[in-house]
Amino acid sequence: MSERTRNLPRRTCHATPGSNEKMLGKAPGLGADQVFLDLEDSVAPLEKEAARAKVVRAINEQDWGDTVLCVRVNAWDTEWTYRDVTYVVEHASERLDEIMLPKVQSAAEVVALDLLLTQIEKATGRTSRIGIEAQIETAQGLINVEEICAASDRLETIIFGPADFAASTEMPVLTGGVQIPEYPGDHFHYVFAKILMAGRANGLQVIDGPYLKIRDLDGLRDYAMRTRILGYDGKWSLHPDQVTVINEVYTPTQDQFDHAFDLLEAYRVATTEGDRRGAVMFGDEMIDEASRKMALKFVSRGERAGMTRSAGD
Ligand code: GLV
Ligand code: MG
């Protein structure tokens, strides 16, 4: 794993086609916590090789601030993967944080990438270790998600790819990642929960993929709220307008942040002062060690997003 980015927020993970120099130029200024420069499905086959140099130029010449910076290479079942990895990692500066591997089907695919990265790091004398992000977007990948999440200590995130997943499972849909009103419930609920458990059990950040109706911001807000409530860390954006909505959905509200902050303080006082109780009333609820753990998550996510306790109450 990359020490710099392991715990950095990834509320918004912005997809940028690696063949499009205009979009590459705009990507650092959009307010996304993570940007990935894509060599895979948003790049036409005839542009794949030329895109490698464009991506490297963007990494080396643009100011990325503290954005988590990633390149998505092509999947192992294509002819492009090893050259994507060797070209990008050999030519990109240490500012490159991670490589994203799409359509991961087995732990072996992650191990193969880890081995290749280890060789390149040794050969080039890179001092910072490259992290790995893995996409689950096939039926086989979902079946193997638990061993995939445990396959390498370079792994930082596990990501759901709804468009490819719908294609892999032959769902009768034509748009990826959106609600299907005719289905009573959420057609991806099982998938969301399974990926979340595998990711959390291995200490990874867990990320939801794209919402392809890019003009439907209300629909995006509604759909993003589902994975946010389940406990996901963030979601992909495909358009600058989506960045604002997703950052908002994945950041605790000020009320939630203040409440969690106060709960931690009340629990600290209860457990360390006076008659040192482990369970105590906080407002109209009973809190204990489990409440502390829940509150910690809100506070750490809020702090990662730059929030502070509001003054005065
Ligand atoms: C993302 O890669 C997806 O297939 O949804
Ligand atoms: Mg995909």
Side-chain angles (χ1 to χ4, degrees), residues 24-191:
L24 288 170
K26 287 191 176 157
L30 299 177
D33 290 333
Q34 189 241 37
V35 169
F36 73 87
L37 313 180
D38 192 22
L39 297 175
E40 204 222 12
D41 284 357
S42 69
V43 175
L46 295 177
E47 289 297 319
K48 296 262 187 211
E49 294 188 8
R52 292 179 188 137
K54 293 182 186 175
V55 158
V56 165
R57 231 181 351 264
I59 294 167
N60 294 350
E61 293 175 11
Q62 296 181 186
D63 179 1
W64 293 95
D66 66 356
T67 310
V68 180
L69 189 53
C70 183
V71 171
R72 178 167 74 165
V73 297
N74 287 281
W76 279 122
D77 62 354
T78 69
E79 67 271 40
W80 295 298
T81 322
Y82 80 99
R83 284 196 179 141
D84 286 347
V85 177
T86 48
Y87 184 90
V88 169
V89 181
E90 283 184 0
H91 292 87
S93 70
E94 303 253 345
R95 187 59 189 77
L96 173 66
D97 295 307
E98 312 172 303
I99 294 291
M100 185 189 298
L101 190 60
K103 301 182 180 68
V104 177
Q105 309 257 37
S106 67
E109 296 190 7
V110 176
V111 174
L113 177 59
D114 184 331
L115 291 172
L116 186 52
L117 289 171
T118 303
Q119 289 251 308
I120 303 170
E121 285 167 354
K122 275 192 189 155
T124 58
R126 253 189 99 94
T127 55
S128 57
R129 227 168 154 233
I130 301 266
I132 297 179
E133 303 213 346
Q135 278 189 279
I136 298 299
E137 37 187 0
T138 62
Q140 192 66 54
L142 189 69
I143 285 171
N144 292 330
V145 66
E146 291 167 23
E147 53 197 67
I148 289 170
C149 285
S152 162
D153 68 354
R154 291 182 189 267
L155 276 165
E156 299 188 28
T157 71
I158 189 81
I159 306 161
F160 176 47
D164 272 305
F165 192 84
S168 163
T169 53
E170 301 181 25
M171 278 183 183
V173 292
L174 289 171
T175 309
V178 303
Q179 170 69 333
I180 300 176
E182 294 78 18
Y183 187 80
D186 190 328
H187 59 300
F188 281 144
H189 181 73
Y190 164 72
V191 184

Side-chain angles (χ1 to χ4, degrees), residues 202-254:
N202 289 282
L204 305 184
Q205 291 200 34
V206 185
I207 307 292
D208 185 14
Y211 184 85
L212 279 101
K213 287 195 174 159
I214 59 172
R215 294 199 177 82
D216 176 15
L217 296 181
D218 288 338
L220 169 66
R221 188 182 304 276
D222 174 71
Y223 214 62
M225 195 51 90
R226 293 161 195 243
T227 42
R228 152 89 167 100
I229 287 171
L230 285 175
Y232 275 54
D233 293 280
K235 181 169 175 65
W236 282 16
S237 57
L238 302 177
H239 185 278
D241 291 345
Q242 292 192 331
V243 174
T244 318
V245 172
I246 296 171
N247 275 344
E248 203 181 292
V249 169
Y250 281 90
T251 305
T253 63
Q254 189 66 48

